[in-house]
Amino acid sequence: MDSKQAYLQCLEKLIWAMGRLKSEVEPNELARIAELIVQPMTGSWRFFHTPEHIFDVGGNEDAIEVLAALFHDIVYVQVDRSINFNVSYYVTPVTKEVNKQLQIREQSELSADGAFEMVMLVFGFVPGEVLNPFSGQNEFLSALVAAKALEPFLKREQLLQITACIEATIPFRAAERGVTVSQRLYDRLQAINSLFNLSLTDEQMRETIKKAVRISNRDVISFAHQSSAHFLANTWNLLPETNHNLTCCGFYTVRDYRVALLKMEGFLSYLQPEVIFRQFEGCPDDRTYQRWETTAKYNLEIAKLYLGCKLAAIALLEALSSGLGIDVSLAMMMGEIPERAAGCVRLESFFPETEKHYKPQSNLESDVLNLLENGRAKSTSNSDLENSPLATFMVKIVGFDEMRHQRDRAKEFFKQNLGADDFISDFNPIVTEIVVDSILKLFESRKSAIYRYYQLISELKSKPQTNFPVRPSL
């Protein structure tokens, strides 16, 4: 979706939502808000948190949910490496940068602002608080922008509901002392409703939490995708957002790729399926909630084994390339991505056929081998192959248990607790020999491609020198 299409769809949703909330807004004001939203969402680093994502998260049935979703990712500092200039208009009066961290200004630096105070209370933040990028910073700033941009057109009760929905998109939070995230948010809504003398009834506040739950669940629904190939494709869209080197037209290093995989594998290995989805007073129903959690648990197991195999494979490449330097490109070791260089020769072109290869021992192993061999679903970013030929080849020879073992050794290698030679020496020699031989053949093919120019040079040298321009004297 290009920026013009995103702008028109965003404007259409704003018009619809404001109409449902019976708010009369001049068309030029809605156009300004649509532009405010779309500009950062179509930034050069956005591959997952895009306009399509915010449209999906909002659904199409509830105006509060639609508005909350439109704003909920408008600030994403880790991805954008900054805050959009137009968005910063709402952020800088109440925040500042201290020691490379964003911080809410001290009380003495803040002007009286009921909407801002309400947003702080919804998030449980206080003046002077240092914002944590992984614990609500982006959601808080996004909610602030939403509240201030919509304040002239909506009632404070509506702004509170929108802010609560955005707060709920802070992901992966466990219950504290038996009190769920949604229950804590409901308790804060009650206190804020009383403090600001708002008119929300208890039923309306409970419905607001259900709206927030729906928003939160749609934000992470890819974890419950019935196709692990699509779940992994969404995961791959996240990689270039926080690993910007991977967007350099495929010219990233072996180490760049390994660092991105290692971060994602570490995150997914730590993530517990129980904290992905939310439920509040039967929303969603138990059957749906359990199905999502069960599917997410399986997708996480798929991802951990899949990424572990890719880490073992990239570790072998990194160890083998260590003698060439630390900035060796992945394309140099593996070959160009076919979509970027038609007819290119790749490393796997030199792998021999495996007549008797490893047979998966479980449905999990069978699914992972299929994903490695045949590929994930298509990702937004085209800077990586969907399939994994090197990891596939290694699995077929040594099996998954050995790949798990090598994944653990790879992590020691990455920490420099193992040297490159030590790591290679304990690898299956059949795999190592074939990979080394294939790399040499890949390099030889490049040498041949360059060597043919000798013939061209010889032909040029044999021609009369008058055909060559005279070099100017220096």
Side-chain angles (χ1 to χ4, degrees):
M1 181 181 293
D2 62 30
S3 57
K4 183 178 180 180
Q5 291 174 314
Y7 168 79
L8 291 174
Q9 190 166 340
C10 182
L11 181 59
E12 181 182 344
K13 286 185 174 290
L14 284 168
I15 293 170
W16 176 85
M18 289 300 194
R20 291 291 293 264
L21 296 177
K22 296 180 172 54
S23 174
E24 295 184 4
V25 188
E26 293 295 326
N28 65 309
E29 290 291 345
L30 289 179
R32 179 184 61 80
I33 295 172
E35 185 176 3
L36 176 73
I37 293 169
V38 169
Q39 276 189 358
M41 298 302 301
T42 53
S44 57
W45 306 119
R46 300 288 186 121
F47 293 92
F48 179 85
H49 297 95
T50 60
E52 292 94 331
H53 175 67
I54 61 175
F55 299 152
D56 288 342
V57 169
N60 53 21
E61 296 182 0
D62 185 272
I64 294 294
E65 294 175 31
V66 166
L67 290 173
L70 290 180
F71 281 93
H72 86 284
D73 279 334
I74 198 170
V75 175
Y76 213 133
V77 179
Q78 302 98 295
V79 172
D80 299 326
R81 298 276 179 92
S82 64
I83 296 177
N84 177 272
F85 184 79
N86 293 336
V87 170
S88 67
Y89 172 82
Y90 300 99
V91 172
T92 52
V94 294
T95 61
K96 59 185 178 181
E97 185 177 330
V98 179
N99 297 325
K100 297 183 179 181
Q101 291 181 295
L102 293 179
Q103 177 180 333
I104 300 175
R105 293 184 183 274
E106 301 291 345
Q107 187 66 62
S108 59
E109 301 175 82
L110 296 170
S111 303
D113 186 333
F116 168 65
E117 292 174 10
M118 188 174 69
V119 173
M120 271 202 306
L121 289 170
V122 169
F123 281 77
F125 293 167
V126 295
E129 183 160 344
V130 175
L131 299 176
N132 186 328
F134 304 102
S135 299
Q137 169 189 275
N138 299 312
E139 294 81 1
F140 169 69
L141 296 177
S142 296
L144 172 62
V145 174
K148 298 305 294 181
L150 298 174
E151 186 178 21
F153 317 112
L154 296 179
K155 299 175 183 177
R156 187 159 287 182
E157 288 84 354
Q158 294 166 329
L159 296 178
L160 176 60
Q161 291 176 305
I162 291 168
T163 301
C165 287
I166 297 176
E167 193 278 345
T169 64
I170 303 174
F172 315 132
R173 292 176 287 170
E176 295 180 5
R177 299 176 183 176
V179 182
T180 66
V181 171
S182 299
Q183 183 63 48
R184 296 200 300 271
L185 181 58
Y186 167 70
D187 293 341
R188 290 199 297 274
L189 284 192
Q190 285 186 308
I192 295 166
N193 191 54
S194 176
L195 180 65
F196 285 85
N197 293 315
L198 303 182
S199 60
L200 290 175
T201 64
D202 185 66
E203 182 180 356
Q204 287 174 320
M205 284 186 283
R206 293 180 183 278
E207 283 302 312
T208 297
I209 300 303
K210 292 179 182 180
K211 296 176 196 288
V213 164
R214 287 193 289 268
I215 282 275
S216 172
N217 288 339
R218 284 196 292 263
D219 197 26
V220 294
I221 198 61
S222 64
F223 280 91
H225 203 294
Q226 292 298 313
S227 166
S228 296
H230 283 87
F231 165 66
L232 285 174
N234 281 316
T235 301
W236 242 250
N237 286 335
L238 290 169
L239 289 179
E241 285 200 340
T242 52
N243 299 276
H244 291 178
N245 289 347
L246 300 191
T247 65
C248 298
C249 300
F251 300 117
Y252 45 83
T253 67
V254 174
R255 187 179 184 279
D256 289 334
Y257 190 67
R258 180 264 291 177
V259 168
L261 291 182
L262 188 61
K263 287 194 294 186
M264 184 58 70
E265 193 267 351
F267 165 67
L268 293 178
S269 296
Y270 172 79
L271 182 61
Q272 298 298 312
E274 296 79 14
V275 302
I276 296 175
F277 299 105
R278 310 268 172 80
Q279 188 179 35
F280 182 79
E281 296 184 348
C283 177
D285 61 76
D286 290 342
R287 184 177 180 180
T288 300
Y289 181 82
Q290 188 59 52
R291 185 179 75 249
W292 287 349
E293 187 175 297
T294 300
T295 306
K297 182 177 181 180
Y298 187 70
N299 280 335
L300 286 176
E301 291 302 315
I302 288 277
K304 286 186 284 188
L305 183 54
Y306 176 88
L307 285 164
C309 291
K310 289 181 72 71
L311 280 175
I314 199 67
L316 181 58
L317 273 191
E318 186 170 345
L320 292 172
S321 67
S322 60
L324 303 176
I326 62 173
D327 292 325
V328 177
S329 75
L330 186 60
M332 179 179 177
M333 300 299 294
M334 288 290 299
E336 300 291 343
I337 295 174
E339 291 181 5
R340 296 185 177 276
C344 66
V345 178
R346 286 186 49 82
L347 184 67
E348 62 269 21
S349 304
F350 304 104
F351 292 167
E353 289 293 329
T354 52
E355 296 180 1
K356 294 182 179 180
H357 58 74
Y358 175 81
K359 300 297 183 184
Q361 302 299 301
S362 65
N363 289 337
L364 177 68
E365 289 190 354
S366 180
D367 287 346
V368 170
L369 181 57
N370 178 60
L371 287 164
L372 290 170
E373 185 167 19
N374 298 313
R376 310 175 301 272
K378 185 70 176 175
S379 302
T380 303
S381 171
N382 63 348
S383 59
D384 188 20
L385 293 175
E386 270 75 44
N387 64 330
S388 306
L390 177 56
T392 300
F393 179 72
M394 292 166 65
V395 168
K396 285 185 174 181
I397 292 179
V398 304
F400 281 104
D401 283 346
E402 178 64 15
M403 292 297 278
R404 291 183 179 98
H405 172 64
Q406 294 300 340
R407 172 205 60 198
D408 294 339
R409 294 184 68 249
K411 291 180 180 181
E412 293 302 305
F413 169 55
F414 300 148
K415 295 175 185 175
Q416 298 184 340
N417 294 334
L418 272 181
D421 289 353
D422 292 330
F423 179 72
I424 294 169
S425 65
D426 194 36
F427 227 92
N428 183 292
I430 297 174
V431 170
T432 306
E433 182 179 9
I434 292 173
V435 172
V436 170
D437 183 60
S438 298
I439 291 172
L440 291 174
K441 289 176 180 177
L442 179 63
F443 287 179
E444 187 65 32
S445 72
R446 289 170 175 153
K447 177 183 174 182
S448 299
I450 296 295
Y451 198 81
R452 68 186 180 86
Y453 288 107
Y454 271 115
Q455 182 179 356
L456 177 61
I457 294 169
S458 298
E459 291 174 357
L460 289 172
K461 288 172 67 176
S462 67
K463 293 180 180 179
Q465 295 298 307
T466 54
N467 290 351
F468 295 95
V470 178
R471 293 184 180 179
S473 299
L474 298 178

